[in-house]
Amino acid sequence: MLLDDAHGRPAPPVERVGALQLRVRRYGPAAVWLGIAAAVLVLVAGELMAVHIHALGPLTSLFRDYAGTPKSATTPWAGFLLALVGITWRERAIAVAAAVGLDLAFVIVRAAEGHKFTVGNGPTLVLTALAVLAATRWTGERQRTALRTIALGALLILATKVGDIWLDVTAWATPQVLDPFVQQADRALGNPSWVAGQALDAAGPVVSGILRWVYFELPVAAIVVAVWQLRDVTKGAWPRHYLVRTFLAIGLIGPIFYVIFPVVGPILAYGPEGHGLEVADVWPNIVPPLSNSIDPLSFDGITPRNCMPSLHTAWALSLFIHSRRGPLWLRWGGAFWLAGTLAATLGFGAHYGIDLIVGATLCLTIESVLRDPGRGWDRQRSGLVALGIATFTGVLLCTRYFAAEMAQHPIPFGVALLGVFAGLVTAFYVTWFAPAPAGRV
């Protein structure tokens, strides 16, 4: 249904990237400085919280990207490459060469000192230099376009830093997790994590290696889609909606529920990585028996409670959706990344099946809020968003308060759960992708 865009209905003008010269929304100096102040405030607050709970703060992590050992090798490069879409090809070539050269120099120094191999310093330094150059030396549309894409790249990096400390906060703030409730409720879906875990074990190390790479390198695939969507911004053709907006919105809203509904995942709560805190070491070979009573599980103060909802699923689905109006290779790539991410989240024991449904519901709801802004809030959009919110809330409430009933009566609850989600997917498709009826423009 969503494997390709409908050919019977042209893409809305606001989504034709590069087809029209779209008017770029202008932000006044006050709005820009307010945004910068908000970012600084969040970073400082995150650093103070990190000091309080003895974790790595966002400012410390950012400093390491400049002059130490970066925590992530992928994120600085992803943000840097996103920023490059707003400058010319000649400037891109110079910037990439400088970033590679600086990274190589840092790698040599780290190797001489006996530190681990990683990269990420070069793109961080060059991205900062580009921001300074664009702000002080460039003018007009060239400056505005460059600063906008540089801001997107920087925001991606900074959001990751803040997200890291938030994961530590979830462990500090929620000493008990709700895995027993999710595991029991997941029987309504046939215990998909247990099934996928056994299948992945049988598939062997090659398949596991591919899925592990897909799972951890999701930002790389997202940057490919985002760069394709933003490829013509230097010509003034800005799309009014693109993947980065959905990605950031998911990353802003989704983690709130980590402290509302803390879950650590089957490989920790029921598997070999629970470090003695697991209910039993049975994942993925033995499904835990039904229990007469379900209680929260006490867990450590280190492990992030980042399962409900599955943001990997939400991000992979948004990537898939945004690849639908691209060329064939991009559409196939989006489908591959979605399928690989779903298989990895379940097969590695990172998530339960219900986590995936809630994550996908979050994605469809946020995407429906942001998509095609020129359309306005008509009945279809309003109804779709309301359905998404109701589905999201209903699944969480049922999992928390009716887990025992879901486990005892898996077929009716499973049919209801999948039916409601299928209804949401169908409504999303009809609203945004279905061909227009005959005779209707």
Side-chain angles (χ1 to χ4, degrees):
M1 185 164 60
L2 287 177
L3 291 180
D4 204 350
D5 192 13
H7 296 290
R9 169 180 169 183
V14 294
E15 294 194 47
R16 294 178 194 158
V17 182
L20 296 175
Q21 297 296 312
L22 302 176
R23 184 172 59 186
V24 179
R25 181 183 297 176
R26 307 292 187 190
Y27 294 98
V32 172
W33 284 109
L34 183 61
I36 294 174
V40 172
L41 181 62
V42 170
L43 290 172
V44 171
E47 188 69 24
L48 293 176
M49 176 56 73
V51 172
H52 180 66
I53 64 176
H54 307 290
L56 178 64
L59 292 177
T60 303
S61 181
L62 186 62
F63 174 78
R64 291 182 182 181
D65 285 358
Y66 280 106
T69 301
K71 182 177 181 179
S72 170
T74 303
T75 303
W77 273 101
F80 174 66
L81 293 176
L82 177 60
L84 294 186
V85 299
I87 61 179
T88 66
W89 277 106
R90 179 177 179 274
E91 291 159 348
R92 291 170 192 166
I94 295 173
V96 170
V100 171
L102 286 170
D103 249 354
L104 183 59
F106 274 94
V107 166
I108 293 173
V109 171
R110 274 194 290 268
E113 295 177 349
H115 298 306
K116 70 173 184 177
F117 171 84
T118 189
V119 294
N121 305 99
T124 303
L125 290 167
V126 176
L127 179 61
T128 304
L130 279 174
V132 173
L133 180 64
T136 60
R137 300 291 298 274
W138 297 347
T139 58
E141 194 62 38
R142 178 192 185 195
Q143 181 189 60
R144 285 189 289 271
T145 301
L147 286 178
R148 188 171 177 181
T149 57
I150 289 169
L152 288 176
L155 188 58
L156 178 65
I157 296 172
L158 296 179
T160 303
K161 303 297 184 185
V162 175
D164 289 341
I165 184 57
W166 180 252
L167 294 182
D168 294 322
V169 169
T170 65
W172 169 77
T174 56
Q176 292 186 318
V177 297
L178 301 178
D179 286 75
F181 294 88
V182 186
Q183 191 280 320
Q184 291 287 297
D186 225 33
R187 289 174 176 270
L189 299 175
N191 302 294
S193 183
W194 269 256
V195 175
Q198 294 175 26
L200 197 56
D201 285 345
V206 174
V207 174
S208 295
I210 293 173
L211 291 183
R212 194 174 299 276
W213 179 75
V214 168
Y215 185 79
F216 286 107
E217 299 304 330
L218 179 62
V220 175
I223 290 301
V224 172
V225 176
V227 167
W228 181 84
Q229 290 181 318
L230 300 174
R231 67 194 183 280
D232 288 329
V233 296
T234 55
K235 302 174 185 177
W238 273 92
R240 294 186 184 176
H241 180 49
Y242 43 92
L243 178 62
V244 178
R245 299 175 74 232
T246 305
F247 247 59
L248 292 174
I250 290 173
L252 177 65
I253 297 171
I256 296 173
F257 294 91
Y258 291 167
V259 294
I260 296 174
F261 208 107
V263 180
V264 294
I267 198 171
L268 289 159
Y270 293 93
E273 296 186 15
H275 306 297
L277 298 171
E278 67 275 7
V279 175
D281 185 0
V282 294
W283 184 89
N285 300 312
I286 303 171
V287 177
L290 283 172
S291 177
N292 294 328
S293 62
I294 308 175
D295 299 303
L297 173 67
S298 296
F299 222 77
D300 62 33
I302 300 174
T303 304
R305 280 57 162 157
N306 60 337
C307 286
M308 183 68 81
S310 168
L311 294 195
H312 261 84
T313 298
W315 282 321
L317 180 57
S318 68
L319 184 154
F320 172 79
I321 292 169
H322 280 264
S323 68
R324 293 310 86 200
R325 289 194 168 112
L328 182 63
W329 64 267
L330 193 67
R331 299 198 300 271
W332 275 105
F336 167 76
W337 227 274
L338 175 60
T341 300
L342 296 179
T345 55
L346 293 172
F348 292 133
H351 290 279
Y352 304 90
I354 288 180
D355 301 346
L356 273 62
I357 289 181
V358 176
T361 299
L362 177 69
C363 168
L364 296 178
T365 305
I366 291 176
E367 182 66 26
S368 296
V369 172
L370 299 176
R371 197 171 188 84
D372 192 0
R375 175 174 178 157
W377 280 83
D378 57 10
R379 286 186 60 186
Q380 279 188 293
R381 186 199 296 271
S382 301
L384 182 55
V385 172
L387 177 60
I389 294 173
T391 302
F392 184 94
T393 305
V395 173
L396 286 183
L397 290 176
C398 284
T399 302
R400 178 61 179 86
Y401 295 106
F402 298 100
E405 289 77 8
M406 294 175 74
Q408 293 166 4
H409 308 285
I411 294 179
F413 273 99
V415 171
L417 190 63
L418 294 175
V420 171
F421 179 68
L424 176 64
V425 173
T426 302
F428 184 88
Y429 173 77
V430 169
T431 302
W432 304 117
F433 284 89
R440 174 183 165 190
V441 179

